Amino acid sequence: MTEKHGAPGISEHSATAKGAWDERYSQAGLVWGRDANSFVVSQLEGLSPRRVLDLGCGQGRNALWLASQGHEVTGLDLSPVAIAQASEIAEGAGLDANFAAVDLVTDWQPSPNAYDLIVLSYLQLPESARKPVHAKVVEALASEGMIFLIAHHPDNLEQGVGGPPYPEVMFDEAELAKDFAQLNIKRNEKVLRPVDQDGVIKDAIDIILLAKAPS
């Protein structure tokens, strides 16, 4: 399955990007498919039930998989169209998950220590938005809570396939280490993601971060 890539605009929190995502979700069906991201599944399967936040949840594929694992899940996304679709899919599948449309930069004000697990799956934000959003993520994380982040690595622009053409919305290991310096970083490294391009398997280059809040 080809994972989320190719953002319609540089900044997911801008009004232009909101309209572009709304249009894309309105016209393209399940843009990223129904199955959860493969890295989300491999890294988070088998966890005990906990309070989970999925940021940039889109049509809810990761949030709904997490709900099926017994977690109490909230999914937030810029696009009201995607949120309406996620809620409809959840209802049809008999899954209990909360979804809301919100601008993560200007409108999202998380309660401190509110979540045991926060997932950021290909949330594409430029540095000016990424830093405050990541700071909010740290604030929202409960004691001993965990962050899981999967994103496009800058090396993908020249060495990988797919993904957005905007270096502004990508980040490397050093930038993530700074953003989450308050946490205990367990993993912060590049990973390869196989992508099927016209029957030929090629590798996209992503970055994974696993970090845990101190007790």
Side-chain angles (χ1 to χ4, degrees), residues 55-128:
L55 292 181
C57 67
Q59 294 161 306
R61 61 181 185 140
N62 293 326
L64 294 173
W65 177 79
L66 288 159
S68 76
Q69 301 294 297
H71 302 295
E72 178 186 333
V73 182
T74 297
L76 303 180
D77 197 90
L78 178 67
S79 169
V81 172
I83 289 300
Q85 293 169 339
S87 298
E88 183 178 352
I89 295 169
E91 183 177 358
L95 292 171
D96 187 13
N98 298 310
F99 293 101
V102 63
D103 186 316
L104 298 179
V105 178
T106 61
D107 299 332
W108 180 46
Q109 298 298 329
S111 299
N113 309 311
Y115 299 99
D116 308 300
L117 171 63
I118 301 178
V119 176
L120 300 91
S121 178
Y122 302 99
L123 179 61
Q124 298 170 23
L125 297 171
E127 182 179 14
S128 60

Side-chain angles (χ1 to χ4, degrees), residues 46-52 70-73 115-117 144-146:
L47 294 177
S48 59
R50 56 196 67 194
R51 299 167 298 170
V52 179
H71 302 295
E72 178 186 333
V73 182
Y115 299 99
D116 308 300
L117 171 63
E144 298 188 349
M146 183 170 65

